[in-house]
Amino acid sequence: MKCFKLLFPLFLFGSFAVVSGQKASITGVVLDVNDEPLSNVNITTKGNGTYTDSTGFYLLEVIADKEITIVFTHLGHKNVVLEDLILTTNETFEFNPVMKTDVIQVDGVEVTATGEKSAEGITTISAELVRKIPGANAGVENVLKLLPGVSSNNELSTQYFVRGGNYDENLVYINGIEVYRPFLVRSGQQEGLSFVNSDMVQNLEFSAGGFQAQYGDRLSSVLDITYKNPSEFGLNIDASFLGAGLTLETNSKNKKFTSVSGLRYRDNSLLVNSQQTNTNFTPAFADLQTYLTYHFSGKFSLNFLGNLSFNNYKNVPLSRQTNFGTISDPKALVVYYQGEENNNYQTSLGALKADYYPNDNVSLSFITSVYHTTEEEYSDVISQYELGEIDTDLGSNNLGDVTSTRGLGTQFNRARNDLDALIVNVAHRGEFSKNEVSLEWGIKYTHEDFRDQIRESEFLDSLGYSVRPPNNEFINNQPQEPFIAPIVPYTSISALNFVKTNRLSGFFQYSKRTLWSTNNIYYNIGFRTHYWTLSGEGFPSNSQIIFSPRGQFAIKPSWKVDMLFRIAAGVYQQPPFYRELRDQTGTIQPGVKAQKSTHFVLGNEYSFELWNRPFKLVSEAYYKNLTNVNPYTLEDVRIRYAAANNATAYAYGFDMRMNGAFVPGTESWVSLGFLKTEENIDNRGYISRPTDQRFQLGILWQDYIPTIPSLRMYMNLVYNTGVPGGSPSYADPYNFQNRLRDYKRADLGISYIFVGLNKQYPENHWLYRFEELNVGFEIYNLFNNQNSITNTWVRDVDTKLEFAVPNYMTSRVFNLKLSMRF
């Protein structure tokens, strides 16, 4: 550890010397006006160049973090010039020019430190960065949580909430296809794998609010991911103590058929066993994904996205001891368990997408998808607890043990939940673009069929007396008076629901880039409309139609300072999904309407140079006014709705992120966020919402030793203030506004690159066959912070008080990792 303490500051602060030779890549296919590939096109930049092959394909390495100009020349065609381009280290930029014979083309890409300047308010994140950054759930969501406005206080979960919204308010697209999560998952350790396979990702775009009409009907955010279309064969293998993954990329000889497929397996035992509950944990999380593309011609291609996911979660809890309280009044909760949890989530998705390009100005897409999930939650767990004082004598052999008992009790939890859901989508999207004007439209039909049986109960016993629900109908004066009524559970839910929803939605938007005097401006106006009908057994049918206008305006003044200003406003309405229709008793409430949020966003992007390296500062102020709010409670990652539009709410805040090459040849950032969100339920006054996380700090840092540039460090740090939560069952949120403790976490990864982009070997070397090879270790929760996400409430038999016992998350964990690519 002494050695580590000496090396860590060296990694963090000692590497600001310039290391030359950092590279990026630009790739694509060059076509002629007939959409036929052009061979032998000369592609040059300062000090480097290449040619296209017989299929029009090219790959050019360029210097990263510096402004470059790339020229495409071919006999009989006018030049194509790509100017003012800045790429980050290891970034791959795709550019597919069409060379014409009649006009000179100049394609000016407006770029900043990390890619295109976003007039649309979209944050672009490098796919390579996503694959490198360590985390208990490494991947896309792991990096999203480091962005301003995006929060999570559960490292075992891939779910996140954005600017005061909840987990159900975020859209996720893969190649234009909407994807879904399992519905019954109630804790992060049950989740397994994220749907998104980060090894298959090519581009990643994210918006935290004020997004365009082309994106669907959710209240908070949109994550738009593009999977790869490989240009050559590739095989990537990753392995660690948490699981393994294999990704295969292929490209046919005629370049018409490409595929990228991923197989993943994950085992959370390493993380779960670091918690305070001792368990026999047997997880099996695995999935298989594939994305296939066949180019029939330069104008028509067919794509298929397939996914099969198997998440089997079996947990046999054994015992637990949690020490809590204060220095003057320390307490301990000791629990012994019997029984087990058996949860099974199996999901599948098949989607077919056809892309047709009649000419250079029009693109048309047709998408159909089928999503099916079968989910089971079966559990029988008996827990016997002891609440008592603990020995605080530093010289005692029993330090930390319970010395006297203040309460004894038993809790029995039982669940038999089954859900079967089928979601079918048929959609069309189109775009017409010409002379900096773009028209986009789309229409989508969705059919949802849910079959759900929920049966849950919880029995509480304290010193031999059954604890009844705190309802007026139960009057119990035991032991003074005998009570002969039947024993009933403290909480109980039993419901059988068959629900069908048919939805028809569409959008239209108009975008234009132009000049206003000498200033560049961009504006976008559009609208969405959505009509749905709800039907099922045991309740009346219902329907609703909504209309949501949205708009954006951005201006880049012709100043010497590289700055852009952006404003966005719009109406965002979220029609109820199945879980939002089900109240806390499991009953379907068909009268639930769409929740409505009006967004106002004011943003600024400032690009500048510091230490002769590019940086960008992005800041946004926002306000959201919410009506028809459907209140909910949040426990771990389980959301339970009131299924009533009986609240209003608001959210406002400020986000800021500065990113760039803090260390030469790398990308790092620091993000800050302030948020306040409150709701008014039944006109009782405003209280904090469950996701009212006032302050958020996220740092992503990359570093290396200047004299050993192949030895790399990746680190992320998160600090989030506590959110309201952890109230006991049946609690009135107006009486329980206590907050959980602040969430503090740091994850560190150190790896050595044996083979990489700038480190290759000759044919006679044993490492020649590797395109990439690196080995490293990761430390999760580096400083071993005790974070909690919920509380267990325990009764004291003497005072009749309930104590909040924190349920701590994972402690410090070490992991080894191997990654190779052929």
Side-chain angles (χ1 to χ4, degrees):
M1 287 299 295
K2 290 183 179 179
C3 180
F4 174 76
K5 290 179 180 178
L6 292 174
L7 286 176
F8 180 73
L10 179 64
F11 281 124
L12 188 57
F13 302 112
S15 58
F16 285 94
V18 176
V19 175
S20 62
Q22 302 299 331
K23 300 291 185 180
S25 301
I26 179 169
T27 185
V29 176
V30 182
L31 304 173
D32 63 15
V33 291
N34 297 317
D35 290 331
E36 296 295 331
L38 274 176
S39 60
N40 297 317
V41 176
N42 188 25
I43 307 162
T44 58
T45 186
K46 186 176 181 180
N48 198 7
T50 188
Y51 293 88
T52 60
D53 62 16
S54 59
T55 65
F57 173 78
Y58 71 94
L59 176 64
L60 177 66
E61 289 187 355
V62 298
I63 299 175
D65 302 325
K66 289 187 178 181
E67 188 175 285
I68 58 173
T69 297
I70 300 174
V71 181
F72 297 75
T73 59
H74 188 264
L75 185 65
H77 295 81
K78 299 297 184 180
N79 294 353
V80 174
V81 182
L82 184 63
E83 50 188 21
D84 301 332
L85 181 67
I86 302 177
L87 301 179
T88 59
T89 300
N90 296 328
E91 180 178 356
T92 300
F93 182 79
E94 184 175 349
F95 181 62
N96 303 307
V98 177
M99 303 193 72
K100 300 181 180 180
T101 58
D102 53 348
V103 293
I104 297 177
Q105 305 170 76
V106 177
D107 193 341
V109 177
E110 192 175 305
V111 294
T112 64
T114 55
E116 281 193 57
K117 185 178 292 295
S118 175
E120 297 86 358
I122 298 291
T123 299
T124 301
I125 301 175
S126 164
E128 191 66 26
L129 190 67
V130 168
R131 290 186 274 270
K132 289 178 178 177
I133 301 305
N137 260 311
V140 172
E141 295 86 355
N142 181 53
V143 176
L144 287 184
K145 295 172 184 178
L146 299 173
L147 295 177
V150 184
S151 299
S152 174
N153 57 350
N154 188 343
E155 65 270 10
L156 292 175
S157 173
T158 60
Q159 302 193 56
Y160 53 90
F161 47 88
V162 179
R163 291 180 176 175
N166 67 33
Y167 302 136
D168 291 339
E169 298 177 7
N170 306 310
L171 279 164
V172 180
Y173 292 100
I174 294 181
N175 291 77
I177 300 161
E178 185 175 356
V179 299
Y180 305 89
R181 301 176 183 269
F183 297 94
L184 294 185
V185 173
R186 64 178 66 199
S187 71
Q189 66 187 34
Q190 298 173 2
E191 281 190 29
L193 295 159
S194 162
F195 187 98
V196 181
N197 187 331
S198 57
D199 287 332
M200 298 170 63
V201 173
Q202 177 174 303
N203 296 318
L204 187 155
E205 296 180 335
F206 179 77
S207 174
F211 42 88
Q212 297 178 350
Q214 64 172 305
Y215 297 114
D217 299 294
R218 296 289 176 93
L219 295 179
S220 293
S221 75
V222 59
L223 174 62
D224 194 0
I225 290 172
T226 303
Y227 274 178
K228 297 177 181 178
N229 273 315
S231 57
E232 58 184 359
F233 174 85
L235 177 63
N236 194 83
I237 299 174
D238 296 301
S240 75
F241 287 158
L242 289 173
L246 183 148
T247 306
L248 177 66
E249 303 172 14
T250 67
N251 193 335
S252 63
K253 290 184 178 180
N254 59 8
K255 305 297 183 181
K256 288 184 176 292
F257 177 76
T258 65
S259 72
V260 55
S261 302
L263 177 64
R264 296 181 295 173
Y265 172 79
R266 181 175 177 86
D267 184 340
N268 274 346
S269 299
L270 183 69
L271 298 170
V272 174
N273 289 337
S274 73
Q275 296 179 295
Q276 291 189 334
T277 301
N278 298 319
T279 66
N280 288 327
F281 183 62
T282 310
F285 304 141
D287 81 337
L288 172 64
Q289 286 191 48
T290 186
Y291 185 70
L292 314 175
T293 301
Y294 188 83
H295 298 275
F296 290 89
S297 67
K299 294 185 176 182
F300 180 70
S301 63
L302 197 61
N303 311 274
F304 173 77
L305 174 64
N307 176 73
L308 290 173
S309 177
F310 305 93
N311 298 325
N312 297 314
Y313 173 85
K314 183 177 181 180
N315 182 28
V316 182
L318 301 176
S319 64
R320 160 188 174 180
Q321 177 171 340
T322 302
N323 297 337
F324 66 102
T326 63
I327 295 177
S328 60
D329 187 20
K331 301 179 182 66
L333 174 69
V334 180
V335 186
Y336 297 95
Y337 297 95
Q338 288 181 322
E340 65 181 23
E341 296 178 72
N342 285 287
N343 300 331
N344 189 343
Y345 312 98
Q346 296 187 12
T347 64
S348 58
L349 171 72
L352 199 62
K353 180 184 178 185
D355 294 320
Y356 178 56
Y357 305 93
N359 53 55
D360 293 343
N361 307 118
V362 178
S363 64
L364 305 173
S365 296
F366 302 89
I367 303 171
T368 181
S369 68
V370 178
Y371 174 83
H372 182 236
T373 180
T374 57
E375 305 176 22
E376 299 175 348
E377 284 187 321
Y378 295 166
S379 68
D380 292 279
V381 178
I382 299 175
S383 55
Q384 296 178 313
Y385 70 85
E386 175 185 5
L387 177 67
E389 310 289 346
I390 61 175
D391 188 349
T392 58
D393 185 0
L394 297 179
S396 172
N397 293 329
N398 300 317
L399 178 67
D401 293 342
V402 176
T403 58
S404 61
T405 300
R406 298 183 58 173
L408 293 170
T410 302
Q411 179 176 321
F412 174 36
N413 291 92
R414 186 176 189 272
R416 295 292 186 274
N417 300 329
D418 295 274
L419 182 140
D420 190 306
L422 179 69
I423 303 174
V424 180
N425 291 291
V426 179
H428 160 66
R429 295 189 58 161
E431 180 178 3
F432 173 81
S433 300
K434 189 174 184 180
N435 299 328
E436 302 296 332
V437 174
S438 174
L439 296 175
E440 296 176 73
W441 64 90
I443 188 170
K444 181 179 180 181
Y445 168 76
T446 302
H447 174 74
E448 301 163 1
D449 188 344
F450 284 85
R451 304 178 182 187
D452 179 26
Q453 179 172 264
I454 177 171
R455 292 171 294 175
E456 297 180 8
S457 58
E458 177 186 20
F459 292 85
L460 295 180
D461 177 274
S462 181
L463 288 180
Y465 299 106
S466 175
V467 180
R468 294 178 171 275
N471 297 334
N472 294 330
E473 61 182 291
F474 294 107
I475 301 174
N476 190 343
N477 295 323
Q478 283 184 290
Q480 288 80 12
E481 298 177 14
F483 192 82
I484 59 174
I487 295 177
V488 296
Y490 187 70
T491 61
S492 178
I493 300 175
S494 180
L496 179 63
N497 299 317
F498 296 91
V499 178
K500 293 183 179 181
T501 307
N502 291 293
R503 306 179 187 273
L504 185 63
S505 60
F507 77 90
F508 178 84
Q509 66 181 38
Y510 171 86
S511 307
K512 185 173 182 179
R513 295 179 184 269
T514 186
L515 288 175
W516 181 17
S517 183
T518 57
N519 305 309
N520 290 290
I521 65 169
Y522 165 88
Y523 61 88
N524 170 285
I525 55 174
F527 67 87
R528 290 193 65 85
T529 185
H530 192 128
Y531 171 75
W532 77 92
T533 60
L534 177 71
S535 61
E537 297 183 9
F539 59 86
S541 300
N542 193 19
S543 63
Q544 186 183 0
I545 186 169
I546 57 176
F547 179 80
S548 305
R550 304 174 188 177
Q552 297 178 320
F553 176 82
I555 181 170
K556 186 177 184 303
S558 57
W559 301 341
K560 292 183 179 180
V561 176
D562 187 1
M563 190 170 289
L564 179 141
F565 298 92
R566 180 177 58 251
I567 187 171
V571 176
Y572 298 80
Q573 301 191 67
Q574 182 166 316
F577 209 48
Y578 171 72
R579 189 156 57 179
E580 295 159 79
L581 296 168
R582 194 179 69 181
D583 66 18
Q584 295 185 0
T585 68
T587 305
I588 296 297
Q589 301 295 336
V592 178
K593 298 181 180 179
Q595 300 184 82
K596 183 178 180 181
S597 177
T598 305
H599 290 202
F600 301 94
V601 181
L602 179 64
N604 172 262
E605 293 188 20
Y606 172 42
S607 300
F608 58 96
E609 285 194 358
L610 186 64
W611 308 309
N612 293 319
R613 297 192 291 274
F615 285 84
K616 180 167 69 172
L617 177 65
V618 180
S619 55
E620 285 191 342
Y622 59 90
Y623 177 81
K624 298 195 289 188
N625 181 56
L626 294 94
T627 55
N628 285 341
V629 173
N630 189 350
Y632 62 91
T633 59
L634 182 62
E635 183 179 358
D636 205 319
V637 299
R638 188 187 194 190
I639 300 175
R640 287 184 283 193
Y641 289 92
N645 302 108
N646 61 334
T648 59
Y650 68 84
Y652 66 81
F654 178 79
D655 293 337
M656 181 176 65
R657 182 172 77 115
M658 179 176 174
N659 67 308
F662 287 90
V663 176
T666 69
E667 180 189 1
S668 303
W669 71 63
V670 178
S671 67
L672 295 171
F674 170 78
L675 162 73
K676 183 177 182 180
T677 179
E678 293 184 323
E679 62 186 359
N680 182 358
I681 304 174
D682 291 327
N683 293 319
R684 298 177 61 188
Y686 281 95
I687 58 173
S688 295
R689 305 192 78 196
T691 54
D692 183 30
Q693 199 154 56
R694 294 295 174 86
F695 179 77
Q696 181 241 348
L697 168 68
I699 298 177
L700 184 149
W701 194 269
Q702 298 188 73
D703 210 339
Y704 53 82
I705 296 179
T707 56
I708 316 175
S710 293
L711 188 59
R712 297 269 172 160
M713 184 203 76
Y714 312 94
M715 184 170 64
N716 63 69
L717 299 98
V718 175
Y719 172 76
N720 296 328
T721 53
V723 295
S727 58
S729 298
Y730 288 103
D732 186 341
Y734 280 83
N735 297 330
F736 286 86
Q737 278 292 294
N738 56 303
R739 291 178 178 265
L740 297 170
R741 61 176 60 193
D742 294 352
Y743 183 83
K744 295 166 284 187
R745 186 175 178 88
D747 296 324
L748 171 71
I750 295 177
S751 66
Y752 186 83
I753 302 173
F754 289 92
V755 184
L757 182 65
N758 304 313
K759 193 175 182 181
Q760 302 294 326
Y761 290 86
E763 291 189 25
N764 59 350
H765 197 280
W766 70 276
L767 291 173
Y768 169 72
R769 295 186 179 277
F770 290 93
E771 185 178 329
E772 295 178 14
L773 175 64
N774 63 79
V775 179
F777 67 91
E778 298 173 331
I779 307 175
Y780 307 136
N781 198 2
L782 178 64
F783 304 112
N784 203 27
N785 296 111
Q786 285 191 316
N787 297 307
S788 64
I789 188 170
T790 57
N791 291 324
T792 296
W793 292 83
V794 181
R795 291 172 176 266
D796 181 355
V797 69
D798 296 325
T799 64
K800 308 301 183 184
L801 297 177
E802 287 188 284
F803 291 94
V805 182
N807 296 316
Y808 292 120
M809 301 298 293
T810 59
S811 58
R812 184 187 294 120
V813 173
F814 293 82
N815 183 36
L816 293 180
K817 189 174 183 180
L818 168 68
S819 180
M820 61 185 77
R821 181 177 177 84
F822 300 92

